[in-house]
Amino acid sequence: MQYLSTRNGAGPVDFRDVVLSGPASDGGLYVPAHLPSISPEAIASWSWLPFDELVWRVVSPFVGGALDEQTLRRLLSDSYKDFTHRAITPLQQIGHNEWILQLFHGPTRTSKDFAAQLQARLVRHFLDESGGEALVVGATNGDTGVAAIEAFAGCPNVRLAVLYPRDGVPADRLAVLRAADPRRVQLFPLEGSFDDCQTLVARLFRAWPLEGVIPVCFNSSNWVGVLAQIVFYFHAALQLGGGTRPVGFSVPAASFAEIYAGFVAQKMGLPINQVIVSTNSNDALHRFLHRNRYAPHASQRTLAPAMDFSLYSNLERFIWELYGRDGECVKALMAQFEASGELSIGNPQWLQARVLFDSYAVDEAEVRREVLRLKAETGAVVDPHTAVGALAGRLHRRSLGAPMVTLGQIAPEKSALLLRELGVWDDELAVAPAVDDDLPALARDDLDGLCRALRAVSP
């Protein structure tokens, strides 16, 4: 399998080079040169497979000859060894043909563990082969950074640099970040938003300051962040319909990687009849799909902090698909976006996006009511992110005859304060420790300061 850049100026490269990377050198994102096509008969035959075997069937076509079968199987199986549920991603029924796919049984209790655990094993394997050293860099508003720190803990030839908004990380996640070993994890708070952190990370990769150190991104601009999530859709569809019955999905927009992964699964042949992009009051994606105007703006603090941003890097991969994989068109569009802060696509492409995706924005009052409603009517306790997806899925499903699956990305206990306030959390309340975040903060666009700090500790 070869990979190209969405902007047509980098590649082709193989899977190994994609794993050991961030954005492509031309500023685009790496994408497979072609998507594997799986026949309906083959998909139906996978319904009995255990999870790690299903993962191998889905992932192996994207790896090509970069890993032999035995090694890839071992790395994939090892990625799930610390998950606490036998099913890895169990389904929970919350209504007639309504389900939650629980993606929070990994080490840090969020769906971010899937990409982080796999990426850490792949990075370590390829570095062990070459004898190289990597700095794994990324932006977080909590869960992604925590998952990366946990996953890369056993990688001796890897250090991490984690950028986060000074005022945008929940206290419990911040406590975990601050507890990381400073000898292998550098923390960089920013006087800005999570979107500012993502922008600065992208600029850092274009002006990489550390000669001899391989730059790797732990955000989903790295293809592994998408690849690890494609299997979610196959697993749910096989459980609910044997791979032959159409299934719909409601995806809380905590990134666009999960949404794009669903698009890839559909293109591979999975019978997905609907994908709902579920947003809260940070509704940049909803407005893009409804008005053909994508304009990231200052995010609001909400009950679902993982959704408190409006800059979605993986949207570029989807636009590349909409334009028939025309990298020159995407390059021009992204240059316009970076110059103006707004993006509109051609009307034929927008209409195609409207066919592929529905969307719905849920306000804060609706989130609270949905948490209470699910507890009262089903006994299910869900976090606010899952409540966003569940409500959007129920209100905007196209077919009552097709199962509707909400991706449950975050464990309820990670929202224990709110759930306790609403009276739906009965366990003893664990109060996050007070954290004095006294690290000096970078200005939102201080690339020079970030580069100096990285050089100062580079071996």
Side-chain angles (χ1 to χ4, degrees), residues 135-148:
L135 182 65
V136 179
V137 185
T140 188
N141 53 7
D143 294 314
T144 308
V146 169

Side-chain angles (χ1 to χ4, degrees), residues 3 16 52 80 91 93 109 123 152 169 172 175 213 233 246 273 288 300 315 321 323 338 377 443 455:
Y3 289 80
R16 176 190 180 279
D52 56 352
Y80 309 110
L91 283 156
Q93 188 166 14
R109 305 290 286 163
V123 167
F152 282 96
V169 178
D172 60 331
V213 177
Y233 296 87
N273 75 326
F288 171 63
Q300 303 178 42
L315 186 59
E321 296 280 2
Y323 275 87
E338 290 167 4
E377 297 178 2
R455 290 192 196 101

Side-chain angles (χ1 to χ4, degrees), residues 226-245:
V226 176
L227 180 61
Q229 300 180 89
I230 298 171
V231 72
F232 299 165
Y233 296 87
F234 278 89
H235 175 71
L238 288 164
Q239 294 295 304
L240 294 173
T244 61
R245 181 187 186 189

